[in-house]
Amino acid sequence: MGETLDRRRVETAKRIEALRGELPRAEQLCGNTACVYMTGSFGRSEASTHSDLDVFIVGLGTHETPALSRLNQILVKADLIEANKKLGLPEFSADGEYLTHHTVAELLDTLGKPEDDANNTFTARLLLLLESTPLVGESAYRRIVDDVIASYWRDYQDNRNNFVPAFLANDILRMWRTFCVNYEARTQSVPAEKRAKRSVKNYKLKHSRLLTCYSGLLYLLAVFSKNGTVSPTDAASMIALSPTRRLEWMLSQPELADAKETIGKLIGGYERFLGNTDASEDELVTRFLDKRRKKEYSDSAFEFGDLVFAVFNNVGSGNRFHRLLVV
């Protein structure tokens, strides 16, 4: 891979280890029954010096009887806030509004229900599967991931030879559409600087958010195209890889030889995105106030989407799973 992505992965790994070194009490409190996992650029192993820390706290048990007591939840949150400050990371977004605790029962009980979005369990569950890295409580993290997979693969035993992961795929598509709808709903006639901020978000949406969702779909689609089914083990393998490493895995598959050139371009386009966004928010806003530069970035985002579409169609080749994802 290119220098930018390799460097980001190495630097992210070092910063995660530094974070873990500041969280011995949180690790002890979580033990084998709760975890903290990172999403966003840390979860994708591509954090820059400007990245903030996005985390979810999830434990075993139920809302009424969580494995991590409410007092211990407070202590874990306090340790995360302190570690975040000590390492000089930006403050948690929205004044810590999203620094909340869920149980795995809540992630699963709301699956497919209207309250899934309102309780933020949908986001917690999908990002767990698509771009997460455990920070503390790794054994609990593995168990929680397995429980979530089992819920999505509930009909696997009766269809093990031709299983299409439609339930998960539809949720991933819903996640992508939710990102898009949320962006459009907040876009309105505002001063130039605020419009530029929206343009920065749109640029990131059409790269990192798009790849988070579609790298998962592409991985599952490639497995189905090869085997005619997708097992829970296949899902676990997908989850263990970051979005860019899923693309690298696809490059290693002989049956995807026809798509390798396009996948390589896709990775190259993503590396350029990482380079372009390696700046403070103020600097990015300034760049997007420049109409020429904004158009350049917008065009590259559209081209990136075209590449994802090309790989998607090449890998799917009109098979049953591919058709389900389109219609």
Side-chain angles (χ1 to χ4, degrees), residues 175-188 194-206 209 288 294 298:
M175 168 65 80
W176 169 241
R177 298 304 178 195
T178 299
F179 286 145
C180 293
V181 168
N182 286 347
Y183 168 79
E184 293 294 345
R186 295 169 188 164
T187 301
Q188 52 186 320
K194 287 193 175 181
R195 288 201 302 273
K197 286 184 178 181
R198 298 303 303 158
S199 295
V200 172
K201 289 184 180 294
N202 188 39
Y203 183 60
K204 293 180 178 180
L205 170 78
K206 290 180 178 177
R209 289 306 196 190
F288 274 84
K294 176 184 175 182
S298 297

Side-chain angles (χ1 to χ4, degrees), residues 95-111:
D95 200 27
E97 178 183 353
Y98 302 110
L99 193 59
T100 58
H101 172 271
H102 299 288
T103 65
V104 67
E106 290 169 332
L107 298 190
L108 299 181
D109 290 347
T110 55
L111 203 159

Side-chain angles (χ1 to χ4, degrees), residues 2-13 45-47 271 274-275 278:
E3 180 182 347
T4 299
L5 192 50
D6 287 341
R7 185 181 71 253
R8 289 284 189 94
R9 288 171 176 171
V10 171
E11 291 175 354
T12 301
S45 297
E46 59 189 42
E271 287 210 278
L274 291 178
D278 190 4

Side-chain angles (χ1 to χ4, degrees), residues 98-220:
Y98 302 110
L99 193 59
T100 58
H101 172 271
H102 299 288
T103 65
V104 67
E106 290 169 332
L107 298 190
L108 299 181
D109 290 347
T110 55
L111 203 159
K113 297 179 181 178
E115 60 266 31
D116 201 7
D117 284 339
N119 296 337
N120 209 36
T121 49
F122 175 65
T123 301
R125 186 177 65 250
L126 267 293
L127 293 184
L128 169 72
L129 302 182
L130 293 174
E131 61 168 38
S132 70
T133 297
L135 181 58
V136 299
E138 185 168 352
S139 63
Y141 170 86
R142 302 297 174 195
R143 181 174 171 184
I144 290 165
V145 167
D146 287 344
D147 286 349
V148 174
I149 291 173
S151 190
Y152 279 111
W153 263 253
R154 61 185 63 170
D155 297 325
Y156 176 73
Q157 289 305 321
D158 293 333
N159 304 277
R160 58 187 306 118
N161 295 323
N162 59 356
F163 185 80
V164 176
F167 197 176
L168 175 59
N170 284 329
D171 253 3
I172 294 174
L173 290 171
R174 181 160 68 110
M175 168 65 80
W176 169 241
R177 298 304 178 195
T178 299
F179 286 145
C180 293
V181 168
N182 286 347
Y183 168 79
E184 293 294 345
R186 295 169 188 164
T187 301
Q188 52 186 320
S189 297
V190 292
E193 185 173 340
K194 287 193 175 181
R195 288 201 302 273
K197 286 184 178 181
R198 298 303 303 158
S199 295
V200 172
K201 289 184 180 294
N202 188 39
Y203 183 60
K204 293 180 178 180
L205 170 78
K206 290 180 178 177
H207 283 88
S208 57
R209 289 306 196 190
L210 177 65
L211 192 62
T212 285
C213 294
Y214 276 87
S215 65
L217 291 173
L218 283 169
Y219 186 102
L220 298 173

Side-chain angles (χ1 to χ4, degrees), residues 15-137:
R15 295 171 77 186
I16 290 173
E17 283 308 303
L19 275 167
R20 287 176 178 148
E22 298 296 329
L23 296 167
R25 184 176 67 172
E27 180 68 53
Q28 183 178 16
L29 291 170
C30 288
N32 297 320
T33 58
C35 71
V36 178
Y37 60 87
M38 300 166 289
T39 62
S41 56
F42 276 91
R44 297 190 300 268
S45 297
E46 59 189 42
S48 74
T49 54
H50 305 281
S51 296
D52 59 359
L53 184 63
D54 296 310
V55 298
F56 288 92
I57 307 167
V58 178
L60 304 178
T62 65
H63 180 71
E64 293 76 18
T65 56
L68 189 65
S69 72
R70 287 173 176 77
L71 286 177
N72 285 343
Q73 291 172 33
I74 293 171
L75 292 174
V76 169
K77 292 175 188 179
D79 286 357
L80 288 167
I81 293 168
E82 187 61 31
N84 198 67
K85 286 182 178 178
K86 188 167 184 179
L87 295 181
L89 293 169
E91 290 186 358
F92 287 106
S93 59
D95 200 27
E97 178 183 353
Y98 302 110
L99 193 59
T100 58
H101 172 271
H102 299 288
T103 65
V104 67
E106 290 169 332
L107 298 190
L108 299 181
D109 290 347
T110 55
L111 203 159
K113 297 179 181 178
E115 60 266 31
D116 201 7
D117 284 339
N119 296 337
N120 209 36
T121 49
F122 175 65
T123 301
R125 186 177 65 250
L126 267 293
L127 293 184
L128 169 72
L129 302 182
L130 293 174
E131 61 168 38
S132 70
T133 297
L135 181 58
V136 299

Side-chain angles (χ1 to χ4, degrees), residues 264-278:
K265 291 180 180 178
L266 190 57
I267 294 172
Y270 196 73
E271 287 210 278
R272 285 190 291 276
F273 158 74
L274 291 178
N276 289 339
T277 54
D278 190 4

